[in-house]
Amino acid sequence: AQSVSQHNHHVILSEAASLELGCNYSYGGTVNLFWYVQYPGQHLQLLLKYFSGDPLVKGIKGFEAEFIKSKFSFNLRKPSVQWSDTAEYFCAVIPDTGRRALTFGSGTRLQVQP
Amino acid sequence: DAGVIQSPRHEVTEMGQEVTLRCKPISGHDYLFWYRQTMMRGLELLIYFNNNVPIDDSGMPEDRFSAKMPNASFSTLKIQPSEPRDSAVYFCASSLEGLGGPYEQYFGPGTRLTVT
């Protein structure tokens, strides 16, 4: 079965700092990759997704992610974080097997200090 | 569109009681998913439906859990009898199979269940 690893469990940054959150998956075939964000007390929202094509994906709110197939990675980046980016971030995968359910990583809690 | 609607938003019940969680997916979506979020296990799939038919229930913990989708606009997740370890946030999500990438799931606000 596939799995998703997020190695950063809790990240604390100051406003305007750059962000990179790691995500690695274990599956040898074609995958569909996602980053979801959960703001405090709110539901999950899609930040960005990768299905195919350009491995550099741009999402909402200035976030981007790069799919590196050789490293089984899909790291999330933002050049300058804001206090409003404080949230929990989840990487998720759907292997291209026909199964439609998301497999999530354990999440990274980002705290941005003003 | 109102998005995915879940009710109730919060539920507190005593051990042994029956609990029913409800979900209304986005109109026109053909996939519906139930996920559970706990501190210990994170976000995990319980079950999902395609065109009202259960496809994968491998995440349903045990026989105390059951899910139904009687029509395209309504699903229930029932726990009977409930136990304290069922305390979690239960999310419903829906998606639409399409040409542009079928897998984007839209999540509801969740139901926070506390079993005492």
Side-chain angles (χ1 to χ4, degrees), chain A:
Chain A
Q2 68 277 3
S3 65
V4 179
S5 298
Q6 293 182 244
H7 304 294
N8 313 105
H9 296 295
H10 190 192
V11 173
I12 302 174
L13 295 173
S14 298
E15 276 193 313
S18 64
L19 170 72
E20 180 159 2
L21 301 183
C23 173
N24 289 91
Y25 63 92
S26 64
Y27 181 73
T30 303
V31 291
N32 304 282
L33 296 157
F34 306 81
W35 276 97
Y36 279 86
V37 61
Q38 187 176 30
Y39 297 103
Q42 296 190 25
H43 60 284
L44 287 148
Q45 302 172 39
L46 183 68
L47 270 181
L48 48 78
K49 60 187 178 185
Y50 172 81
F51 291 157
S52 63
D54 189 343
L56 184 61
V57 180
K58 294 193 183 299
I60 62 171
K61 305 187 180 187
F63 286 90
E64 64 178 32
E66 185 175 12
F67 170 52
I68 304 180
K69 188 174 181 180
S70 61
K71 295 185 178 180
F72 299 89
S73 70
F74 190 55
N75 292 355
L76 181 71
R77 300 194 292 247
K78 186 171 185 179
S80 176
V81 295
Q82 301 172 317
W83 177 79
S84 57
D85 293 325
T86 295
E88 190 149 17
Y89 293 80
F90 294 92
C91 183
V93 63
I94 298 179
D96 204 15
T97 59
R99 189 172 185 265
R100 294 290 185 260
L102 289 159
T103 298
F104 286 93
S106 56
T108 297
R109 187 176 301 275
L110 172 65
Q111 184 178 345
V112 180
Q113 297 177 331

